[in-house]
Amino acid sequence: MAATIRRETIGTTAGHRGQKPTDVDAYTLDTGEGLAVVVWTYGAGLVEVLVPDREGRTGNVVVRLPDLDAYQDRAANPYVGSTVGRYCRCVADGRFRLDGVEHRLDRNDGAHHIHGGSLGFDRYVWEAEAEAERSDGLLSLRLRLDSPDGDQGYPGALRAEVRYQVSPDGSLAFEYRATTTASTLVGLTNHAFWNLAGGGLIDDHVLAVNSSRAVVFDDQLIPVAGPPADLTGSRLDHRVPKPVGDRKLDNCFLLDDPAWAAELHDPASGRTMRVVTDQPAVGVYSADGFTGRRRSGLCLETGPLPDAPNRDDYPPVRLDPGETYRHRTVHHFSAR
C-alpha cells in the first residue's frame, strides 16, 4: 500500500477562557507498511498509534478518549497524548527568577505550577501543515502555536513547533522547536499513555530505563535539595528489564547516556517500543491517578528535569532571543 496523509474535521472547541470556538482537524499519517499515526490539532495531540503485533494484527498502542468533548474536559483528560508546554514539568511555588527578576506563573497544582498552567499548550488548537517526503516514504506533520508575552506568567512571546514524523521502518519521531522575543523557559514533551497490548492494564509490560539515578521528591512531587538518588539495587533500578507489576511509578529518571532512554515490551502481543532522545531525563508515570482508567497506560515523557528553573545543579532550561530550542525523541516499534 502507498503512504498517505488524510485530513478530516472532527469537531469544534467550546473555547476556554474567552478563546474563540475553533475547528479541530484529525490527520492520519499512514505508512502503508503497518504503522499509522493519528494526530489532532487540539493540543497537537497524539490520538492513535497503530502498530502490528507478532501475528501482524494492528492495534492502537496509546490511550485515547472517545471524543473531542472528553479531551476538553480536564477532569477526564490528564493531558492524554497532548503536547505539553511551555514548561512540561513542575515549577515550585509557581515562581522563578531570570536575570534578577522574579516571574510568577499560573498555579494550577495547589501552590505549584505544572505542565504550562491551566491554559497550557494542551488547551489550544495548533496550526498544521502536512507533507509527504516521497523519496524515502517519510510522512511529516508540522504544528505551530504562538504563545504571547505573559502567557500563564511566562516572559517573552514564544513561537512553538512540533513535527511528527512517521517512517515506514516503524518509527515515530517528535521534533520540537521554539524561539522567543525575551528570555524565558522552555521544555516541551508529549504526554501519551502507552499500552502496547492495545487495552487492559500495563502491569504485565516489561520496562527498561537507561538510568542509575532518579530525582528525589517530597510529598508534593517537588524535588528536594541534594543530588539524585542512586538506584542501584533498588526497586526503581530498571537497567535490567523487569515487569512493571502493580507498583506505582511516578518518577523522573536521569539518563546515563544518549544511546537510548527506555524500552517497553508487551509479552502477550510481542510489541516492543524503544525510545531514543537527546533530552537529559525521562518521566515515568503509571497512571495510578487516571480517574476511571487507572493503570491503563504508561507515560514515558522525555524532557528537562522538574523544577529546573530553580535548580542551578540541573541542566538549564533557559531560552534567549536569537536562540532556537530543540528537542528530538524517536519511538522505534517492532514485534518479537
Side-chain angles (χ1 to χ4, degrees), residues 21-36:
T22 306
D23 287 346
V24 175
D25 291 333
Y27 286 84
T28 300
L29 286 69
D30 188 343
T31 65
E33 301 288 340
L35 176 63

Side-chain angles (χ1 to χ4, degrees), residues 127-198:
E127 296 180 358
E129 178 184 354
E131 57 186 23
E133 300 179 15
R134 296 179 181 177
S135 61
D136 55 9
L138 185 70
L139 304 177
S140 180
L141 178 66
R142 187 196 309 267
L143 300 108
R144 297 185 182 91
L145 180 69
D146 288 324
S147 171
D149 181 29
D151 188 9
Q152 306 299 288
Y154 289 97
L158 188 86
R159 168 156 287 193
E161 176 182 300
V162 55
R163 176 185 280 189
Y164 289 89
Q165 293 181 318
V166 183
S167 172
D169 69 0
S171 65
L172 166 63
F174 305 86
E175 287 191 348
Y176 304 93
R177 293 187 180 185
T179 56
T180 183
T181 61
S183 297
T184 192
L185 310 178
V186 183
L188 305 178
T189 196
N190 182 274
H191 205 287
F193 291 83
W194 299 94
N195 186 321
L196 301 185

